Amino acid sequence: QDPMDFEWSYWIEWGRERILWLLAGHLLVSQVSRLLMEKYKPWCLMVYGMAACWLLLGIKGFAVILLHAAISFAVAQFQLSLLTWLCSLTLLSTLRIPAVEEAKRKWYDTENEYYLLLFTVSVRCLFCTSFSLEYCWHGATQKSSHSFLWMLAYVFYYPTFHNGPLLNFDEFSKQMRSQEAFSLKTNLRILMVGIMRIFFWWCLAELMIHLMYIHALYSSASPLEAASYWALGGLALAQVLFFYVKYLVLYGVPALLLQMDGLKPPALPCCVSLMHSFTKMWR
């Protein structure tokens, strides 16, 4: 196996250890709440997300994310978009202050646990920014739907908690509030088909990791210098194709859970072979 793609190895390891089990727990809570108490589903999922965050990141990691959310909400009260952006960038910049980094590292036994906090806080910053900007843009009549409780439900929504994808607050809130007809049989069929598709993508990604050694080749200059231009072009294409398949898995799992929760997930990445510009890819 080519071990050089840190992102794939990292999330697969965490997935096997804990995250997949916590996502399964979220699915169970979601389906039970949709079946028995649809009205309280957002708050059931919020409590579950907070508990999962506490379990994985500890009380201190949970407190950091809660503090970021509280600061973002407080700054949003001024209803100035520029101030919101400055707040978000300032909170994000604290992740790169050496003294703060050292303090956070001491909270955990391993680097992987610290990195999980780092990735989670970074992604949560995007969600806090989305909520705060939409709070600034809406009129006074819509402020009731932008309460701090709804912000917590959005920030601690577990399927998108560690690695995204990003779902705008307005879309999340509107879809969470709508109480659609619930069919356990239909949801079970969606789940089975979704699992089969994700399993196929995962097998394809694992085959590429075990057979193609794209990342290992890139980590050494000598084979690249010896390769022809055609070979280098093939390696570059293989690299972006693996990136595409990787995110079909990493975003496919939360997208499936969003569907199970009655939400419309963001579109999965487009195949890079069909693109003439990378603008859409970076989005």
Side-chain angles (χ1 to χ4, degrees):
Q1 178 181 344
D2 179 359
M4 300 304 293
D5 189 294
F6 170 78
E7 188 178 30
W8 178 257
S9 305
Y10 182 84
W11 289 117
I12 291 298
E13 184 182 338
W14 268 107
R16 286 171 179 162
E17 285 183 5
R18 294 189 190 177
I19 291 178
L20 276 181
W21 298 105
L22 289 171
L23 289 172
H26 169 93
L27 179 62
L28 181 62
V29 170
S30 167
Q31 299 311 293
V32 169
S33 61
R34 287 191 76 186
L35 194 62
L36 303 178
M37 42 186 179
E38 178 80 17
K39 186 179 178 182
Y40 301 103
K41 181 182 72 173
W43 318 124
C44 293
L45 297 182
M46 178 189 75
V47 171
Y48 181 85
M50 287 178 160
C53 172
W54 193 317
L55 180 67
L56 273 186
L57 301 176
I59 180 64
K60 292 178 180 176
F62 171 77
V64 166
I65 293 170
L66 194 60
L67 179 64
H68 278 215
I71 292 170
S72 296
F73 184 79
V75 171
Q77 303 308 302
F78 293 100
Q79 298 183 29
L80 295 170
S81 298
L82 179 60
L83 202 58
T84 289
W85 279 114
L86 288 173
C87 173
S88 298
L89 292 171
T90 302
L91 290 174
L92 204 57
S93 68
T94 61
L95 300 178
R96 301 298 299 162
I97 298 172
V100 176
E101 281 187 277
E102 284 305 309
K104 288 177 181 175
R105 273 193 167 92
K106 289 175 183 175
W107 298 348
Y108 303 107
D109 298 327
T110 65
E111 281 286 292
N112 273 2
E113 290 174 295
Y114 167 70
Y115 286 141
L116 186 65
L117 173 68
L118 202 65
F119 297 147
T120 305
V121 171
S122 302
V123 175
R124 291 308 90 202
C125 189
L126 285 175
F127 280 69
C128 289
T129 305
S130 172
F131 175 90
S132 299
L133 286 174
E134 285 162 12
Y135 186 94
C136 295
W137 297 334
H138 287 302
T141 55
Q142 295 169 298
K143 295 302 182 198
S144 60
S145 62
H146 289 68
S147 65
F148 186 59
L149 201 60
W150 267 105
M151 184 185 195
L152 292 181
Y154 176 57
V155 168
F156 285 98
Y157 181 66
Y158 194 69
T160 60
F161 191 67
H162 298 294
N163 197 35
L166 178 65
L167 183 69
N168 290 342
F169 174 74
D170 275 3
E171 296 170 13
F172 174 83
S173 173
K174 183 181 176 183
Q175 292 172 35
M176 270 290 185
R177 288 171 193 274
S178 65
Q179 297 182 13
E180 298 177 353
F182 174 71
S183 169
L184 193 60
K185 186 179 178 181
T186 303
N187 262 20
L188 192 60
R189 186 170 66 249
I190 292 170
L191 181 65
M192 290 297 104
V193 172
I195 287 173
M196 285 190 289
R197 290 175 69 188
I198 292 165
F199 182 71
F200 170 76
W201 296 331
W202 175 76
C203 288
L204 182 58
E206 284 293 319
L207 275 173
M208 294 174 83
I209 281 282
H210 280 80
L211 299 178
M212 296 178 73
Y213 294 89
I214 314 155
H215 306 90
L217 284 168
Y218 277 122
S219 65
S220 178
S222 52
L224 296 177
E225 289 169 354
S228 66
Y229 289 130
W230 281 105
L232 289 173
L235 281 172
L237 180 59
Q239 174 89 345
V240 293
L241 283 172
F242 179 77
F243 185 84
Y244 160 65
V245 174
K246 174 170 68 176
Y247 270 91
L248 284 179
V249 177
L250 296 183
Y251 280 176
V253 174
L256 176 60
L257 289 173
L258 282 162
Q259 276 187 288
M260 297 296 291
D261 291 345
L263 307 180
K264 184 182 178 182
L268 291 176
C270 298
C271 180
V272 291
S273 298
L274 304 176
M275 291 183 186
H276 70 278
S277 166
F278 251 59
T279 307
K280 210 171 182 181
M281 190 72 181
W282 296 129
R283 288 177 185 171

